Every structure is written in structure tokens, then in C-alpha cells.
């Protein structure tokens, strides 16, 4: 047993020497180095267990599905945020819109799912929190500046919908724009449920509330700009906060209300792509905040 322990300690030492910068290793005690290795080993083991649990669930789903179409349309996946490395090449429609669109990088099984399930364009996928599986929501204030909006989102969502950016994510992973992470309260490597969905109604009206009043003041034809930028969203989810870029400035909008065609009933999600959808601007959150502050001041002045 002592010999085995010594061999294990030797392996630990060699691994630490290989993976630790010389400047750090030379100034760190053996016990501290072993502690560093133990932390790294535990983190790797936890990650392996997490990936295995996802893989086991998906394998069971595939094995018990009634047919191939059902087997490929549903997965549990580990969520990671999209970044600029996923930006399509210049000339491709989604270039420059990794964070200002609803496109996600999906694993390859969702590509044959389209044909096997006779899915119509736009192809839509829901991303959902899983009760008792997805970790506790991340507080809004804990997100990095790239994901922070001027105002806190309207509400915490359990499900959002979007389209495919590509189908090259690793088998047990999905990569999402930051606004989806924020809407669902996710942290990297949270487990989510992803499904090909075919029940989203075409939209007839989207009521959006800008965060900043500058959108309508700085842009000559905001309605036209909005309709152009909205093409980078395949669908909208009521209660989400989405972004558009114009002249190198980012503008945020709350999706306040959605109505479906042809009867105009309210819906939690609607298609935007290939739809004759009207958009309606509500007073900005900045205007609403100023109005509230002015009313408060007026009330205080009357009391004095």
C-alpha cells in the first residue's frame, strides 16, 4: 500500500509539474501543489460525472423512443454561452449577430430531426429549465457586463425559443446567446432541455418597450430599422429582453406582448420569420422611470 501511495504521489507531482508554470511551481510548497492538483482533479471528476449523467439520460431517451423521429427531436444538454468564435463568415446572413439574434449552436442530431419530423421553416427549438435538475437561478446582478441590460428583465423565464445557428456543437452541449442565459438564469454547464418544436403560431403583432428613449431620437426611421433587425430572430418569447445593434450602438427591448395570426390572440411565443408581423413601440423604460421620479417629486413638493 505504501508503494502504491508513493507511486500515486509521484504521478501527482509529475502532473503538477507539467501543468503548472515554472514560476509558480518553484515558489510553491509540495503540500500546496498537491492541494492544487486535488482541486483540479475534483473539478475534472465533477465535470465527467455531469457529462455522464446527460449522456445516460439521452441514451435512455433514444433507446425508449417509439421511432427515429422522436429519438432525435429531444435532448438534455449542457449550456454554454456563445461568443465571437461562433460568428459566421462575412457574407453569411447571421454574421455580426451572435448576440443580437436568437440563433443557437446545436448538436448534430437536431439536423436530421428537421426532415424526420417534417418541420417547416423557420426551424424552431425551445430551451427549457428542468425542475430539480437545472441549478438555482443566477441573480441578475451576477452576470458580466456583456450580458447586463440597462434595466432588469421583466421576469424570470422557464422557456425561450430560437433558431439554429449551426449544428456543430459537441454531442451533449448547446451554445446560447447571452440574452437566453440571462432570461433563463443559467450559469455555464447548467443542464437544460432542448426540443424541436412545431407548435409556435405565426405572429401578427409584437409590442416592444425600448430601454432607452434614445432609440427613437437617434435613428431617423426606427420602425424600419427595427423591422430589419428583427429578421435575425426566428421567433420571439414574451417576457424576454432582446437586443439590436445600429451604428455600433446596442439597443435593448422588452418583449411585452405577442399576438398570433390570423385572429390576434395573445401568445407566449410567436414566429417572426416569414410572417407579416407588425411592431408597436411602447414608451421606453427610461421615460417611465423619469415620469415616476417626476411624479414623486411633485407629490413631495405638495406635501411640503
Amino acid at each position: 500500500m505504501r508503494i502504491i501511495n508513493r507511486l500515486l504521489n509521484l504521478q501527482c507531482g509529475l502532473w503538477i509539474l507539467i501543468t503548472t508554470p515554472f514560476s509558480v511551481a518553484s515558489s510553491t510548497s509540495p503540500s500546496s501543489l498537491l492541494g492544487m492538483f486535488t482541486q483540479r482533479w475534483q473539478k475534472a471528476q465533477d465535470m465527467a460525472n455531469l457529462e455522464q449523467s446527460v449522456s445516460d439520460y439521452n441514451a435512455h431517451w433514444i433507446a425508449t423512443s417509439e421511432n427515429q423521429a422522436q429519438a432525435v427531436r429531444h435532448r438534455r444538454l449542457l449550456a454554454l454561452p456563445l461568443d465571437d468564435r461562433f460568428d459566421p463568415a462575412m457574407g453569411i446572413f447571421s454574421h455580426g449577430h451572435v448576440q443580437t439574434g436568437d440563433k443557437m449552436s446545436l448538436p448534430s442530431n437536431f439536423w436530421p430531426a428537421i426532415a424526420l419530423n417534417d418541420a417547416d421553416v423557420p426551424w424552431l427549438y425551445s430551451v427549457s429549465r428542468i425542475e430539480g435538475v437545472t441549478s438555482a437561478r443566477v441573480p441578475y446582478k451576477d452576470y458580466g457586463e456583456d450580458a447586463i441590460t440597462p434595466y432588469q428583465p421583466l421576469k424570470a423565464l422557464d422557456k425561450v425559443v430560437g433558431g439554429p445557428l449551426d449544428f456543430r456543437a459537441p454531442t451533449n452541449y448547446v451554445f446560447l446567446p447571452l440574452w437566453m442565459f440571462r432570461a433563463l438564469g443559467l450559469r455555464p454547464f447548467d443542464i437544460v432541455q432542448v426540443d424541436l418544436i412545431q407548435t409556435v403560431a405565426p405572429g401578427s403583432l409584437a409590442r416592444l418597450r425600448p430601454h432607452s428613449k434614445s432609440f427613437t431620437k437617434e435613428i431617423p426611421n426606427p420602425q424600419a430599422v427595427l423591422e430589419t433587425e428583427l429578421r435575425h430572430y426566428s421567433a420571439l418569447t414574451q417576457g424576454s429582453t432582446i437586443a439590436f445593434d445600429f451604428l455600433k450602438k446596442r439597443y435593448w427591448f422588452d418583449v411585452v406582448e405577442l399576438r398570433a395570426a390570423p385572429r390576434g390572440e395573445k401568445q407566449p411565443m410567436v414566429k417572426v420569420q416569414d410572417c407579416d408581423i407588425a411592431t408597436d413601440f411602447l414608451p421606453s423604460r427610461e421615460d417611465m422611470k423619469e415620469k415616476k421620479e417626476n411624479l414623486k417629486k411633485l407629490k413631495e413638493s405638495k406635501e411640503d
Side-chain angles (χ1 to χ4, degrees), residues 103-236:
K103 305 302 185 287
M104 60 190 83
S105 181
L106 296 156
S108 60
N109 65 282
F110 284 108
W111 173 242
I114 294 167
L116 289 169
N117 288 276
D118 297 322
D120 294 328
V121 175
W123 307 320
L124 296 178
Y125 301 86
S126 64
V127 183
S128 308
R129 295 180 57 86
I130 307 168
E131 182 70 29
V133 176
T134 309
S135 61
R137 289 183 183 273
V138 177
Y140 172 75
K141 61 181 177 60
D142 289 352
Y143 282 100
E145 290 186 3
D146 288 342
I148 290 292
T149 61
Y151 295 90
Q152 189 166 341
L154 294 176
K155 62 180 180 179
L157 297 175
D158 292 323
K159 180 186 291 187
V160 295
V161 64
L165 178 67
D166 56 47
F167 298 92
R168 60 190 178 96
T171 301
N172 292 319
Y173 287 83
V174 61
F175 292 82
L176 307 171
L178 291 172
W179 71 263
M180 286 189 180
F181 253 73
R182 186 183 59 250
L184 294 171
L186 300 176
R187 54 175 52 83
F189 299 106
D190 270 351
I191 299 175
V192 295
Q193 176 176 310
V194 179
D195 295 278
L196 172 70
I197 55 175
Q198 299 169 269
T199 56
V200 179
S204 63
L205 174 66
R207 287 198 169 96
L208 306 176
R209 189 184 302 281
H211 281 199
S212 173
K213 60 184 179 182
S214 63
F215 179 72
T216 54
K217 294 182 177 180
E218 296 174 353
I219 299 175
N221 191 343
Q223 193 75 34
V225 170
L226 177 64
E227 291 174 0
T228 298
E229 294 301 314
L230 205 58
R231 294 183 301 166
H232 294 283
Y233 291 84
S234 301
L236 293 175

Side-chain angles (χ1 to χ4, degrees), residues 9-126:
N9 287 337
L10 178 61
Q11 285 181 320
C12 291
L14 289 172
W15 179 258
I16 292 169
L17 287 174
I18 292 170
T19 58
T20 304
F22 177 76
S23 60
V24 174
S26 62
S27 61
T28 307
S29 67
S31 60
S32 296
L33 285 173
L34 186 58
M36 289 167 57
F37 171 79
T38 302
Q39 289 179 351
R40 291 184 183 182
W41 176 262
Q42 186 61 53
K43 186 176 181 180
Q45 190 175 38
D46 292 344
M47 191 69 244
N49 291 338
L50 191 62
E51 289 185 336
Q52 190 61 54
S53 69
V54 170
S55 184
D56 289 346
Y57 172 89
N58 291 333
H60 182 265
W61 171 265
I62 295 168
T64 56
S65 293
E66 295 179 358
N67 50 52
Q68 191 177 3
Q70 185 185 56
V72 295
R73 65 179 293 132
H74 166 86
R75 288 290 186 274
R76 280 188 180 178
L77 300 171
L78 297 169
L80 286 172
L82 283 171
D83 58 32
D84 289 340
R85 290 173 293 182
F86 287 84
D87 194 14
M90 189 173 294
I92 296 178
F93 181 69
S94 293
H95 174 72
H97 290 271
V98 170
Q99 302 300 341
T100 54
D102 66 352
K103 305 302 185 287
M104 60 190 83
S105 181
L106 296 156
S108 60
N109 65 282
F110 284 108
W111 173 242
I114 294 167
L116 289 169
N117 288 276
D118 297 322
D120 294 328
V121 175
W123 307 320
L124 296 178
Y125 301 86
S126 64

